[in-house]
């Protein structure tokens, strides 16, 4: 059965980091830097992976709601069961070195120049959660992809055995947990987009 606790923790870690970035965004705006544009690139690495997970959850849950969806959605099931989702998430995890490089080359000096020492320490601590996302944040999403793959494997076996109604119930049994994860991801992605808009606007003055 699906357990979303690790993935939800990953979302909350990002949420905390974004809250700190948002807290200092106006102060950073007072001294815009090319690093603002680079920070949007770093945030994009997280957004892309979460969108892949979100779309996969939507496809998965639709298999339990739509009439004859399990038969019609066999390609989606085969893709998940075959590890396609895990490949996409792993690709995002592999981009974490890009996030770290952006921090080291651009963000650290910008933060240290604009913020006072206490503020700098706070934002650096939180941003390290993003810069080293491959060890915790992306791990949570990778674990979610792994669980969806295992569920897809078992549901595909049910469909092949003609147990469509049982397979449909199996999909729907995960609805509450997956919907909760989606709500958390949606809220945090909304904050991501808000901060990105601020940064893009800021970068226009550099």
């Amino acid at each position: 059965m699906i357990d979303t606790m690790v993935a939800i923790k990953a979302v909350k870690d990002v949420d905390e980091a974004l809250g700190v970035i948002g807290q200092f965004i106006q102060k950073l705006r007072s001294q815009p830097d090319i690093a603002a544009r680079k920070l949007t690139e770093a945030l994009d690495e997280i957004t892309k992976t979460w969108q892949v997970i979100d779309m996969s959850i939507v496809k998965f849950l639709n298999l339990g709601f739509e009439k004859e969806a399990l038969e019609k959605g066999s390609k989606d099931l085969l893709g998940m069961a075959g590890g396609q989702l895990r490949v996409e998430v792993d690709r995002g995890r592999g981009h974490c070195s890009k996030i770290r490089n952006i921090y080291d080359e651009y963000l650290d000096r910008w933060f240290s120049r604009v913020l006072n020492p206490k503020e700098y320490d706070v934002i650096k601590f939180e941003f390290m959660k993003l810069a080293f996302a491959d060890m915790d944040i992306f791990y949570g999403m990778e674990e979610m992809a792994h669980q969806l793959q295992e569920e897809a494997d078992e549901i595909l076996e049910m469909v092949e055995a003609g147990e469509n109604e049982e397979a449909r119930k199996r999909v729907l049994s995960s609805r509450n947990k997956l919907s909760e994860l989606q709500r958390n991801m949606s809220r945090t992605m909304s904050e991501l987009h808000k901060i990105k808009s601020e940064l893009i606007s800021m970068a226009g003055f550099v």
Side-chain angles (χ1 to χ4, degrees):
M1 299 297 289
I2 284 179
D3 183 351
T4 57
M5 288 184 65
V6 175
I8 287 176
K9 182 186 180 301
V11 174
K12 289 181 177 177
D13 284 344
V14 173
D15 206 34
E16 288 175 6
L18 291 176
V20 171
I21 294 172
Q23 181 182 343
F24 297 124
I25 199 77
Q26 293 307 317
K27 195 164 187 179
L28 292 169
R29 177 184 279 279
S30 69
Q31 296 186 50
D33 190 282
I34 187 65
R37 187 176 294 113
K38 295 297 180 179
L39 180 51
T40 65
E41 293 177 17
L43 297 179
D44 275 342
E45 299 306 321
I46 295 172
T47 303
K48 289 173 190 174
T49 301
W50 284 12
Q51 286 172 337
V52 169
I53 289 286
D54 186 57
M55 285 191 296
S56 295
I57 290 174
V58 169
K59 288 179 181 179
F60 181 77
L61 291 179
N62 278 344
L63 297 174
F65 284 105
E66 296 181 5
K67 187 178 180 181
E68 299 180 353
L70 284 164
E71 295 89 337
K72 294 177 181 176
S74 57
K75 283 186 178 180
D76 292 331
L77 265 178
L78 286 167
M80 287 185 212
Q84 182 180 1
L85 176 58
R86 293 185 70 180
V87 169
E88 290 295 324
V89 172
D90 192 56
R91 184 178 296 131
R93 185 174 184 173
H95 288 168
C96 286
S97 58
K98 179 178 179 180
I99 298 176
R100 292 197 294 274
N101 290 339
I102 288 172
Y103 182 85
D104 291 340
E105 189 171 350
Y106 297 97
L107 300 178
D108 187 68
R109 62 178 173 78
W110 186 32
F111 295 160
S112 62
R113 175 167 57 86
V114 178
L115 305 174
N116 66 45
K118 184 176 180 180
E119 291 170 336
Y120 168 77
D121 287 343
V122 170
I123 200 169
K124 181 176 182 178
F125 175 79
E126 289 297 334
F127 201 88
M128 285 298 97
K129 293 179 183 178
L130 307 182
F132 292 91
D134 56 334
M135 291 185 289
D136 36 54
I137 292 167
F138 276 92
Y139 170 75
M141 293 300 124
E142 190 176 61
E143 175 62 20
M144 192 70 260
H146 174 70
Q147 290 188 42
L148 283 172
Q149 178 181 336
E150 288 191 332
E151 281 294 293
D153 280 333
E154 294 186 23
I155 289 166
L156 193 57
E157 288 179 8
M158 290 179 175
V159 172
E160 289 173 346
E163 300 170 353
N164 288 15
E165 184 58 24
E166 290 79 2
R168 190 182 73 83
K169 289 178 180 177
R170 178 67 177 265
V171 171
L172 292 179
S173 70
S174 302
R175 183 179 68 84
N176 288 339
K177 289 181 179 179
L178 289 173
S179 294
E180 181 187 6
L181 174 59
Q182 282 185 296
R183 286 192 296 271
N184 278 274
M185 289 173 63
S186 178
R187 184 171 59 251
T188 304
M189 280 197 287
S190 177
E191 187 62 24
L192 266 169
H193 289 305
K194 180 180 175 182
I195 290 175
K196 278 177 57 182
S197 294
E198 290 272 5
L199 292 167
I200 291 169
S201 172
M202 197 186 304
F205 292 98
V206 179

